[in-house]
Amino acid sequence: MVIIAIIDLLYLIISFTESKDSGSPLSPYPDWKNYTRDVFGSLQYRWQYNFFSNNYSIENLQRYCNQCSCPLVDLRYPVCKTNYAHGYDIKTHEELLALIQHRIDNGLYKKTTP
């Protein structure tokens, strides 16, 4: 009887700590923690997360070339010399945060990671 009670208690603890966003029942990080790059418009973006308490922030958001994977410098890529000054949809920081958050909230990051 005591063993059944212990098993039931463990089951309740595991069920309670499991959330829809977690990668495993006891994981301290959500399963989208590895979603750190995506393509929006014609540019690739990469970032990192800073996890703290029960929250997180997106940091070090950078633009990269889809062709040569070089970071954007002064609206051009030094390696392939592609110039993004005119005719490209360069998103603002706020737009990018909203797009990333939308993909996380709706589980779309699983389908779009390059």
Side-chain angles (χ1 to χ4, degrees):
M1 181 98 156
V2 172
I3 294 175
I4 293 173
I6 291 172
I7 292 171
D8 286 343
L9 181 61
L10 287 173
Y11 176 76
L12 287 173
I13 291 170
I14 290 170
S15 297
F16 186 77
T17 59
E18 192 172 77
S19 72
K20 68 175 184 172
D21 288 336
S22 63
S24 68
L26 301 176
S27 173
Y29 298 106
D31 66 349
W32 48 260
K33 74 180 181 330
N34 294 323
Y35 170 59
T36 57
R37 62 174 59 194
D38 209 332
V39 175
F40 299 108
S42 58
L43 302 175
Q44 183 183 134
Y45 296 88
R46 300 179 194 171
W47 60 89
Q48 298 171 332
Y49 298 105
N50 181 14
F51 290 95
F52 49 94
S53 298
N54 292 328
N55 222 335
Y56 69 95
S57 63
I58 295 170
E59 298 181 351
N60 301 322
L61 187 54
Q62 301 283 327
R63 294 174 179 93
Y64 287 82
C65 180
N66 273 335
Q67 297 171 23
C68 68
S69 291
C70 182
L72 183 68
V73 178
D74 296 326
L75 295 177
R76 66 183 212 105
Y77 294 104
V79 174
C80 68
K81 307 295 188 219
T82 302
N83 188 337
Y84 284 92
H86 302 289
Y88 289 93
D89 183 19
I90 297 179
K91 309 283 185 209
T92 66
H93 187 77
E94 290 76 22
E95 288 174 318
L96 291 167
L97 293 177
L99 289 167
I100 294 167
Q101 189 64 53
H102 172 75
R103 290 199 175 164
I104 289 171
D105 290 347
N106 293 288
L108 301 173
Y109 64 92
K110 297 174 186 176
K111 303 169 191 158
T112 60
T113 303

